[in-house]
Amino acid sequence: MPKYQIICIKGKEWSVITTVDSKREAREWIERNRDKYPHCRLNFIREGFEPIL
Amino acid sequence: MREAVPWERVEWLIDSYPEKKGYVRISTDILDFFIDTAKATDSYEMIGYLLGRFKKVGDKELIQLYDYIQCRNIADDPTREAFPAPECDDEVDHLFDIGRYDINTVMHTHPSDSLFSVDDLYVLYECCKNDHIREWFAPHFLVTGGEIGYILAYTNVPFVIQFISDAKELFVSSRPFNEAYTYPKYVKRAKSAAYADEFIEFLSSIEWVRIMISSLEPIKPEPQLNYGSSLHKSTKEGILRVKKLRIHRRRILPDIIQKYKRGKY
């Protein structure tokens, strides 16, 4: 199964915060940690893919 | 059976977007399919065909997509790629043979909000390069199921998509992929994967659109502010609006009373 990267998007820039094992984990991680990254638009992508900006 | 709408409902787009070459109309049924697919898509990619009719007007091409077939994904790793099962192609062939449709295009999903891959663009390239097979320009579609959820469409000619839903109509104009932030990365990846030069050149001709699925969903009506028992006391919005109204009354009423006393009413 592919891993999912939690990413922080700021305008046209993005960076990987962490990697999780499933889509469900990715959704839950974002829900738990949204407040810790107020300056980011949090999203997740499969490893090896590019986000849609 | 779903039917095409009269071509006049698409043809007027030519005057509104004369610089484009392709004009696509997508019906409510397809939109619902996109929205449901995006919500349902989990770790596996899904694939299907959108079906409809096309018409040429000079050098312009008009397309209506108003039906779909969901296909079984037979890829070795369906979490990373999608290939339709042969029986799905047979079904499309049959529908073409009996004259129900004359155009089809590919729609697949990504479980996260990730852009089409180099391989996805190669599939488009393969479809485009055989001119004797490909008599139309129909864009390929990608639906993503991440935090936001997008519909992407991409092909090798400038185009406009008219999304028709019960709630609204949206027109989205394509833009060149070679102006996208990620284009240089795609060229680099294609070169390192030893794709043919012709394909790398093809990448520069790609046009794409991106639309958030939420923008196609019906707008929820504002809670109505009514007096009496129908007041939306249970919603935060309703309570807020009642508070604002009370403050407004407190401010306005004394002015009216003063004016009344002065005989201006």
Side-chain angles (χ1 to χ4, degrees):
Chain A
M1 292 293 271
K3 292 201 179 280
Y4 287 82
Q5 294 173 323
I6 310 291
I7 58 169
C8 163
I9 301 169
K10 289 180 189 172
K12 292 285 176 196
E13 302 292 319
W14 63 281
S15 56
V16 178
I17 300 171
T18 187
T19 303
V20 296
D21 289 328
S22 68
K23 184 172 168 175
R24 181 184 293 272
E25 267 185 62
R27 283 195 192 283
E28 288 170 357
W29 193 97
I30 289 174
E31 209 51 51
R32 278 199 314 273
N33 295 282
R34 203 181 292 278
D35 296 345
K36 293 179 189 164
Y37 297 89
H39 305 298
C40 290
R41 189 156 56 83
L42 293 178
N43 206 334
F44 60 87
I45 51 167
R46 276 179 300 176
E47 237 175 4
F49 284 78
E50 290 287 322
I52 302 165
L53 301 182
Chain B
M1 190 174 76
R2 298 171 183 92
E3 296 290 345
V5 296
W7 281 107
E8 300 85 68
R9 293 198 201 169
V10 190
E11 277 172 1
W12 67 272
L13 284 170
I14 296 175
D15 293 333
S16 301
Y17 299 91
E19 74 284 6
K20 302 293 180 188
K21 189 167 183 283
Y23 306 85
V24 186
R25 183 185 199 276
I26 299 199
S27 72
T28 311
D29 292 327
I30 301 282
L31 281 183
D32 289 344
F33 177 55
F34 281 150
I35 292 166
D36 291 345
T37 303
K39 284 175 182 165
T41 195
D42 197 11
S43 294
Y44 292 92
E45 292 195 6
M46 291 191 276
I47 189 161
Y49 288 118
L50 307 182
L51 297 150
R53 294 207 173 269
F54 82 103
K55 180 185 175 184
K56 282 186 186 283
V57 179
D59 66 336
K60 311 285 188 187
E61 294 175 53
L62 313 176
I63 292 175
Q64 295 187 46
L65 296 170
Y66 52 93
D67 206 354
Y68 62 88
I69 294 176
Q70 180 72 45
C71 305
R72 193 162 52 88
N73 182 0
I74 56 162
D76 290 338
D77 181 1
T79 64
R80 299 190 69 85
E81 50 192 10
F83 299 114
E87 67 265 18
C88 208
D89 291 323
D90 295 342
E91 192 177 348
V92 172
D93 287 345
H94 170 69
L95 291 168
F96 273 48
D97 288 344
I98 62 172
R100 189 174 293 178
Y101 307 109
D102 53 24
I103 188 167
N104 75 312
T105 188
V106 180
M107 195 283 299
H108 80 291
T109 69
H110 280 179
S112 61
D113 291 334
S114 54
L115 200 58
F116 36 75
S117 64
V118 174
D119 291 340
D120 293 335
L121 297 179
Y122 190 76
V123 171
L124 175 73
Y125 165 73
E126 282 291 322
C127 292
C128 293
K129 77 173 183 180
N130 298 313
D131 283 339
H132 62 286
I133 297 171
R134 192 171 195 260
E135 297 166 348
W136 53 75
F137 81 96
H140 287 197
F141 288 83
L142 168 64
V143 180
T144 71
E147 281 289 281
I148 297 171
Y150 293 97
I151 296 173
L152 286 86
Y154 49 99
T155 189
N156 65 334
V157 298
F159 63 102
V160 180
I161 299 194
Q162 179 187 19
F163 291 97
I164 310 287
S165 74
D166 290 336
K168 53 181 132 175
E169 287 186 25
L170 276 181
F171 303 92
V172 191
S173 182
S174 68
R175 52 189 170 156
F177 182 53
N178 61 15
E179 290 173 7
Y181 76 99
T182 196
Y183 174 73
K185 281 186 192 175
Y186 275 56
V187 172
K188 204 174 162 185
R189 279 183 195 172
K191 282 181 180 169
S192 64
Y195 278 107
D197 289 345
E198 200 185 331
F199 171 63
I200 293 161
E201 205 174 296
F202 173 82
L203 291 177
S204 66
S205 69
I206 289 174
E207 294 263 332
W208 70 304
V209 304
R210 179 203 74 172
I211 183 166
M212 279 193 279
I213 286 169
S214 57
S215 63
L216 297 168
E217 289 182 303
I219 302 163
K220 286 177 185 156
E222 283 279 309
Q224 295 294 309
L225 184 62
N226 297 323
Y227 294 100
S229 59
S230 62
L231 190 63
H232 289 252
K233 286 178 183 170
S234 58
T235 64
K236 278 185 182 176
E237 290 89 345
I239 291 166
L240 195 65
R241 288 178 71 162
V242 170
K243 278 181 182 169
K244 278 183 184 169
L245 187 67
R246 282 180 184 157
I247 291 164
H248 180 71
R249 274 185 189 154
R250 268 185 231 130
R251 283 179 187 159
I252 298 296
L253 269 176
D255 286 351
I256 293 171
I257 293 164
Q258 285 298 319
K259 282 179 183 173
Y260 181 78
K261 282 179 180 172
R262 286 180 205 140
K264 290 190 175 181
Y265 280 100

